[in-house]
């Protein structure tokens, strides 16, 4: 069973590629949150995979909430638990945070992996060079293949790259809490009121009012799904996203 959260497709693509080879069931964390589904049944020896992006060096709020509420029926015997973090510059301390949460449930992550992919945090990173983005995704395919082989062999260890120590958790959380403020979003006149942003928001933070998106919560996940999926690129976050482009994994 592979649990994943994905806003623009990087983690979903990774999870799908892994599941294709391992035969594991795919479980969408955002859908589980919406349905209130946090209890699962595993077969003995079944994999427990977690595929997540990194936000401000830590776990996305929706992933952390899900892992804290995640429960398995009965006794899970010999699970091979692995974490895959998709990242642009560093997977941060996501491995340490996820491991800490699961250890509280009597579960331990046996393998940590990471896949470098285009960084979708366009308030900083520029994704307007489509050829550069294509090459990054091409390299990511090779990384996913290597991870798949290790998972099939049930290898244990820390195979993640550019991991940061958990000591950065404090300042990272402070930065993330500020970034999650929905007051950073603006909507341009290009908006056609299609409602796609409302439907895609994983925490229902957007409502269409008078044919325009309105953020009805003070904070969201900060996934930028609304911005990247907008058909008219009418949603912006800060001053730089307009020139840095949109991204959805092809």
């Amino acid at each position: 069973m592979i649990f994943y959260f994905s806003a623009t497709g990087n983690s979903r693509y990774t999870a799908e590629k892994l599941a294709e080879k391992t035969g594991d069931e795919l479980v969408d964390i955002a859908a589980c949150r919406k349905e209130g589904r946090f209890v699962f049944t595993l077969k003995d020896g079944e994999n427990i995979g977690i595929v997540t992006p990194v936000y401000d060096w830590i776990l996305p709020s929706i992933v952390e909430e899900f892992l804290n509420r995640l429960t398995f029926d009965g006794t899970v015997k010999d699970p091979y638990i692995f974490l895959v973090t998709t990242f642009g510059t560093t997977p941060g301390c996501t491995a340490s945070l996820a491991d800490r949460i699961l250890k509280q449930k009597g579960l331990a992550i046996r393998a940590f992996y990471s896949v470098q992919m285009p960084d979708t945090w366009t308030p900083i990173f520029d994704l307007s060079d489509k050829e550069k983005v294509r090459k990054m995704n091409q390299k990511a395919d090779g990384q996913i293949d290597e991870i798949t082989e290790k998972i099939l062999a049930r290898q244990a260890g820390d195979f993640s790259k550019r991991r940061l120590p958990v000591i950065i958790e404090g300042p990272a959380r402070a930065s993330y809490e500020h970034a999650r403020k929905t007051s950073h979003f603006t909507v341009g006149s290009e908006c056609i009121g299609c409602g796609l942003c409302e439907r895609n928001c994983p925490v229902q933070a957007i409502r269409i009012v008078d044919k325009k998106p309105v953020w009805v919560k003070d904070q969201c996940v900060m996934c930028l799904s609304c911005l990247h999926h907008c058909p008219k690129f009418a949603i912006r976050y800060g001053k730089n996203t307009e020139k840095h482009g949109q991204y959805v994994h092809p």
Side-chain angles (χ1 to χ4, degrees):
M1 190 170 290
I2 299 178
F3 302 95
Y4 74 92
F5 169 66
S6 188
T8 56
N10 283 345
S11 292
R12 177 178 176 176
Y13 176 80
T14 301
E16 288 176 342
K17 291 276 285 185
L18 295 175
E20 182 182 336
K21 298 293 184 181
T22 64
D24 289 309
E25 176 188 355
L26 279 176
V27 181
D28 183 349
I29 288 175
C32 289
R33 182 187 184 277
K34 188 175 182 179
E35 298 164 5
R37 182 186 177 205
F38 301 99
V39 181
F40 297 86
T41 302
L42 290 178
K43 300 175 183 177
D44 287 348
E46 187 175 357
N47 294 335
I48 301 175
I50 304 156
V51 183
T52 177
V54 54
Y55 292 170
D56 258 327
W57 298 349
I58 61 177
L59 292 169
S61 58
I62 190 172
V63 175
E64 184 168 17
E65 175 196 2
F66 179 80
L67 293 182
N68 275 309
R69 299 180 68 178
L70 178 63
T71 304
F72 294 102
D73 279 336
T75 302
V76 182
K77 297 180 180 178
D78 191 33
Y80 177 72
I81 306 177
F82 63 88
L83 175 81
V84 182
T85 304
T86 58
F87 73 99
T89 55
T90 169
C93 59
T94 52
S96 300
L97 299 181
D99 193 39
R100 184 173 72 197
I101 294 171
L102 292 186
K103 279 182 176 176
Q104 293 172 352
K105 302 173 183 292
L107 302 169
I109 299 176
R110 290 172 56 181
F112 303 93
Y113 304 104
S114 60
V115 181
Q116 188 168 19
M117 305 181 86
D119 198 315
T120 61
W121 183 239
T122 49
I124 295 177
F125 299 99
D126 189 350
L127 294 181
S128 60
D129 187 336
K130 300 305 180 184
E131 179 60 17
K132 181 179 179 181
V133 168
R134 186 193 67 79
K135 289 180 179 179
M136 288 186 69
N137 278 324
Q138 189 175 44
K139 288 183 179 180
D141 279 339
Q143 298 170 51
I144 296 170
D145 288 341
E146 291 177 8
I147 291 171
T148 303
E149 292 178 6
K150 288 181 170 62
I151 291 173
L152 290 173
R154 296 173 72 90
Q155 291 190 26
D158 184 0
F159 305 102
S160 59
K161 298 177 176 66
R162 303 186 185 183
R163 181 172 167 177
L164 296 179
V166 74
I167 194 173
I168 61 97
E169 179 185 357
R173 284 194 183 278
S175 176
Y176 185 41
E177 288 303 300
H178 175 73
R180 289 175 60 199
K181 293 180 179 180
T182 56
S183 57
H184 294 297
F185 287 103
T186 57
V187 181
S189 59
E190 307 91 340
C191 176
I192 57 174
C194 67
L196 188 61
C197 53
E198 179 181 6
R199 294 192 294 274
N200 279 340
C201 181
V203 291
Q204 296 77 52
I206 302 174
R207 294 288 181 270
I208 300 299
V209 179
D210 296 329
K211 298 184 179 181
K212 295 289 182 181
V214 174
W215 280 261
V216 295
K217 295 183 179 180
D218 293 334
Q219 288 184 313
C220 61
V221 180
M222 193 263 283
C223 66
L224 299 188
S225 175
C226 56
L227 182 153
H228 289 295
H229 285 94
C230 178
K232 295 297 182 180
F233 198 7
I235 297 176
R236 284 123 199 183
Y237 181 107
K239 300 178 180 179
N240 295 322
T241 55
E242 186 174 7
K243 62 184 178 183
H244 286 171
Q246 291 174 291
Y247 172 85
V248 175
H249 193 285

